[in-house]
């Protein structure tokens, strides 16, 4: 069992996760020398390529020095945090990527907290050391401080670090002495990431992801914790509520490079895909037929925003899409719930209106755009923040907002955030730029990005993540400017 390592790559958005996976795939000779692969191989759906971000987590496997390394690439945006939370269950260690110039960012904190809570071993990769004005040593210190602040244990604080530039295809233990490949990083994975710990007992596998094939139907993906699985074997499927369903495995697949290969048997510790299970959901346990035992299910953070989805009843009805009825929209939203763990759906008193809850505006906008491309026609309402009542007090979601912008326009940005009930926490100069941190209600962030980009001539970089529910901060002023409507 020594020959498997399961790692997840986690980082803030745009710190180079998918680029690093590209270089690992090329280094392990996954492609023919004459094969054209392009960049960002794993960002394979149109929306990911257009937006330049990772939305769905992906699994690949490579063989390095006779060891199979299962790699899980994860999204960097807080809105897709549900993806990160569920796939970390499959890993034994994480590669934490940090930009050598920007240092730990809000999402770095979020994903690192999840990894530390799951008792995973971190390897810190300080990427983009070829950037001007970068400070790799200071970033290393700030990662240590962040881990300490998040309550990491002593063995986690004793983390190995590697420096390099994934884009330029090198990693090294000393950033001043570039190497000629990313071998030092892969050697570090073999040395520091523990092999899967196999516990005694019968079959147990937590379903952490799912896929769909038009030929075979739904496919359950997860990591086999103990025991073994065989094709045509009978198993018990234990649901979240504890009920059991007897099922039979039709086919088993292991991850092999970018694809999967069919196998007859899977042993504990490996990631696999199961075809033939009926009625499963993410968070269910595949257990032994005779003596089934459930694994703890996946806990996911609550959604913070909602939107009204309804049928298109405008005069332009039926012009754009082919799926236009409420039945079509309801079925598509229910299908999305199966694989999008951070989403919730609520029926209303009207049969053609649905309230969809998500992690943020980006989370919901990706769903809307995906549905539009699939041929669905719908109308949507304004995003609304979920207000809760806790101990008789009105509470709203508060987010941690970080804005990186040129120093000369920072005053305008601070003014805009404070008008939206934001409170300034810190302001740090970085070269010619300023990094400002605020705590701001989620409703204050809706529509802020466009105004901020206009005020800073497109130079502001804005990141935010959900922090907590706190006392309602009062009404935010609406539009102050008038608009000329005729002349």
């Amino acid at each position: 069992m020594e020959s498997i390592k399961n790692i997840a790559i986690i980082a803030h958005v745009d710190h180079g996760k998918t680029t690093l996976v590209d270089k690992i795939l090329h280094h392990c000779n996954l492609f023919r020398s004459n094969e054209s692969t392009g960049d960002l191989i794993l960002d394979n759906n149109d929306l990911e390529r257009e937006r330049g971000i990772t939305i769905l987590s992906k699994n690949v496997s490579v063989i390095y020095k006779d060891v199979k390394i299962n790699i899980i690439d994860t999204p960097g945006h807080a809105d897709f945090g549900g993806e990160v939370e569920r796939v970390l269950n499959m890993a034994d260690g994480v590669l934490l990527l940090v930009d050598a110039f920007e240092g730990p960012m809000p999402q770095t904190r979020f994903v690192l907290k999840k990894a530390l809570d799951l008792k995973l071993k971190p390897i810190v990769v300080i990427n983009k050391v070829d950037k001007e004005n970068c400070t790799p040593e200071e970033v290393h210190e700030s990662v240590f401080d962040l881990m300490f602040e998040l309550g990491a244990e002593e063995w986690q604080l004793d983390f190995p670090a590697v420096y390099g530039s994934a884009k330029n295809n090198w990693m090294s233990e000393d950033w001043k002495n570039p190497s000629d490949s990313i071998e030092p990083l892969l050697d570090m994975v073999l040395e520091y990431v523990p092999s899967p710990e196999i516990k005694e007992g019968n079959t147990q596998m937590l379903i952490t992801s799912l896929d769909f094939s038009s030929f075979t139907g739904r496919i359950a993906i997860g990591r086999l914790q103990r025991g073994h699985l065989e094709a045509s074997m009978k198993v018990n499927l234990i649901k979240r509520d504890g009920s059991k369903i007897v099922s039979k495995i039709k086919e088993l697949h292991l991850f092999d490079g970018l694809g999967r290969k069919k196998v007859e048997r899977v042993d504990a510790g490996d990631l696999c895909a199961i075809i033939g299970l009926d009625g499963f959901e993410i968070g269910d346990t595949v257990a032994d037929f005779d003596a089934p035992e459930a694994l703890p299910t996946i806990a996911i953070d609550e959604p913070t925003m909602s939107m009204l989805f309804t049928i298109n009843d405008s005069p332009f009805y039926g012009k754009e899409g082919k799926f236009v009825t409420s039945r079509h929209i309801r079925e598509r939203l229910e299908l999305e719930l199966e694989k999008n763990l951070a989403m919730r759906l609520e029926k209303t008193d009207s049969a053609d209106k649905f309230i969809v809850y998500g992690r943020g505006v980006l989370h919901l906008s990706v769903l809307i755009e995906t549905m539009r491309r699939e041929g669905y026609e719908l109308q949507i309402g304004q995003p609304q923040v979920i207000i809760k009542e806790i101990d008789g007090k009105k509470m709203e979601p508060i987010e941690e907002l970080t804005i990186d912008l040129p120093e000369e326009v920072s005053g305008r940005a601070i003014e805009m955030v404070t008008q939206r009930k934001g409170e300034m926490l810190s302001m740090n100069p970085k070269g010619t730029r300023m990094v400002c941190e605020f705590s701001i209600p989620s409703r204050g962030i809706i529509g802020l990005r466009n105004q901020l980009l206009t005020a800073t001539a497109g130079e502001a970089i804005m990141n935010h993540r959900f922090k907590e529910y706190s006392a309602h901060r009062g009404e935010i002023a609406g539009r102050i400017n008038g608009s000329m409507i005729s002349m």
Side-chain angles (χ1 to χ4, degrees):
M1 218 34 254
E2 275 296 306
S3 57
I4 293 180
K5 305 280 181 185
N6 298 318
I7 56 166
I9 300 188
I10 58 174
H12 185 77
V13 59
D14 267 351
H15 280 194
K17 298 179 290 296
T18 306
T19 306
L20 179 64
V21 177
D22 284 2
K23 301 302 180 199
I24 293 174
L25 296 179
H26 282 290
H27 184 79
C28 296
N29 300 324
L30 212 63
F31 308 106
R32 299 188 310 275
S33 56
N34 63 348
E35 197 171 343
S36 169
T37 56
D39 293 336
L40 305 176
I41 301 160
L42 290 194
D43 285 351
N44 51 13
N45 78 32
D46 294 342
L47 256 180
E48 290 182 318
R49 288 207 165 272
E50 284 166 30
R51 290 177 181 249
I53 59 174
T54 302
I55 295 170
L56 302 166
S57 55
K58 323 272 190 328
N59 299 35
V60 290
S61 82
V62 295
I63 305 288
Y64 176 70
K65 293 187 176 172
D66 297 329
V67 176
K68 179 181 181 183
I69 305 176
N70 286 312
I71 303 168
I72 307 158
D73 183 26
T74 63
H77 283 84
D79 289 42
F80 309 119
E83 287 280 317
V84 182
E85 287 164 42
R86 64 186 173 81
V87 297
L88 284 179
N89 281 289
M90 297 198 279
D92 293 300
V94 290
L95 295 185
L96 176 72
L97 254 76
V98 188
D99 188 304
F101 177 72
E102 292 182 352
M105 296 289 280
Q107 187 64 9
T108 314
R109 169 189 286 269
F110 172 79
V111 291
L112 182 58
K113 174 99 179 79
K114 299 286 175 198
L116 295 176
D117 290 348
L118 286 168
K119 305 278 184 273
L120 299 179
K121 174 75 177 175
I123 292 177
V124 174
V125 182
I126 295 173
N127 194 19
K128 306 192 183 186
V129 297
D130 52 328
K131 268 191 178 179
E132 279 183 42
N133 300 330
C134 69
T135 52
E137 277 106 348
E138 285 176 28
V139 168
H140 187 276
E141 287 295 315
S142 53
V143 171
F144 181 88
D145 294 344
L146 176 63
M147 284 201 195
F148 185 75
E149 193 186 320
L150 293 174
E153 294 179 25
E154 206 166 303
W155 61 273
Q156 289 172 319
L157 286 170
D158 185 22
F159 58 83
V162 64
Y163 303 84
S165 165
K167 188 178 170 190
N168 296 330
N169 198 21
W170 68 270
M171 289 285 156
S172 167
E173 290 188 25
D174 178 6
W175 66 281
K176 291 172 186 158
N177 298 325
S179 64
D180 56 357
S181 75
I182 57 162
E183 263 193 27
L185 170 63
L186 292 169
D187 289 337
M188 218 170 249
V189 168
L190 298 193
E191 186 180 343
Y192 292 102
V193 173
S195 290
E197 187 186 330
I198 310 303
K199 295 183 177 133
E200 288 295 314
N202 55 24
T203 306
Q204 268 188 331
M205 179 183 121
L206 187 68
I207 299 173
T208 48
S209 192
L210 60 83
D211 203 352
F212 184 79
S213 155
S214 50
F215 300 107
T216 55
R218 296 168 74 224
I219 302 167
I221 297 170
R223 170 179 155 179
L224 186 57
Q225 301 285 3
R226 57 183 212 199
H228 72 279
L229 291 172
E230 288 176 9
S232 305
M233 177 175 168
K234 278 192 170 181
V235 290
N236 258 308
L237 187 65
I238 307 177
K239 310 291 287 175
R240 276 176 183 262
D241 59 6
S243 60
K244 300 180 181 74
I245 301 171
V246 175
S247 240
K248 187 178 178 183
I249 297 171
K250 285 182 187 162
E251 286 181 23
L252 281 173
H253 290 245
L254 285 178
F255 290 93
D256 182 32
L258 288 170
R260 300 190 194 119
K261 68 173 180 191
K262 189 175 169 183
V263 291
E264 290 303 311
R265 179 187 167 106
V266 175
D267 289 308
D270 213 342
L271 310 186
C272 66
I274 304 176
I275 295 171
L277 298 182
D278 294 323
F280 68 84
E281 288 166 12
I282 291 173
D284 293 350
T285 304
V286 176
D288 189 61
F289 179 66
D290 298 318
E293 289 176 42
L295 281 163
T297 189
I298 304 168
I300 299 287
D301 287 357
E302 290 291 307
T304 57
M305 211 160 271
S306 69
M307 247 179 179
L308 180 71
F309 281 49
T310 177
I311 57 167
N312 182 12
D313 52 11
S314 74
F316 302 108
Y317 162 82
K319 290 273 171 73
E320 268 203 7
K322 54 181 188 233
F323 304 118
V324 292
T325 66
S326 59
R327 179 178 62 86
H328 285 132
I329 293 170
R330 187 185 68 247
E331 284 173 1
R332 176 63 183 83
L333 290 173
E334 283 170 352
L335 190 69
E336 186 69 23
L337 284 179
E338 289 183 356
K339 59 178 187 291
N340 199 333
L341 281 199
M343 212 182 92
R344 304 270 185 282
L345 179 64
E346 192 181 285
K347 307 267 174 51
T348 61
D349 48 9
S350 165
D352 52 15
K353 290 185 177 151
F354 311 95
I355 295 173
V356 178
Y357 296 93
R359 277 278 181 89
V361 178
L362 182 64
H363 188 200
L364 292 167
S365 70
V366 165
L367 168 65
I368 294 161
E369 181 59 19
T370 307
M371 285 176 68
R372 193 187 68 76
R373 291 182 184 205
E374 288 172 3
Y376 290 86
E377 201 173 275
L378 66 156
Q379 290 185 138
I380 51 168
Q382 207 177 353
Q384 302 288 333
V385 165
I386 300 168
I387 307 283
K388 286 184 178 178
E389 197 159 299
I390 302 171
D391 300 333
K393 287 183 184 169
K394 201 172 165 188
M395 307 290 251
E396 67 173 341
I398 302 291
E399 308 222 1
E400 200 175 90
L401 170 70
T402 307
I403 305 175
D404 177 346
L405 74 178
E407 204 170 338
E408 61 274 11
V409 289
S410 57
R412 180 80 189 94
I414 293 165
E415 185 191 337
M416 287 165 80
V417 176
T418 46
Q419 280 173 357
R420 291 164 171 260
K421 305 289 180 192
E423 290 173 5
M424 192 164 194
L425 303 174
S426 70
M427 192 171 177
N428 301 310
K430 265 199 180 175
T432 58
R433 295 175 76 85
M434 219 24 123
V435 178
C436 307
E437 285 188 18
F438 304 88
S439 80
I440 182 172
S442 293
R443 60 201 165 99
I445 288 175
I446 301 171
L448 176 64
R449 188 182 297 271
N450 286 351
Q451 287 187 20
L452 201 61
L453 288 174
T454 308
T456 59
E459 289 218 36
I461 301 167
M462 181 176 132
N463 293 293
H464 55 92
R465 71 174 193 95
F466 171 71
K467 192 177 173 188
E468 61 189 357
Y469 268 86
S470 176
H472 196 275
R473 292 191 182 177
E475 290 307 310
I476 294 174
R479 191 184 180 100
I480 331 166
N481 307 345
S483 294
M484 185 181 280
I485 47 177
S486 75
M487 196 172 167

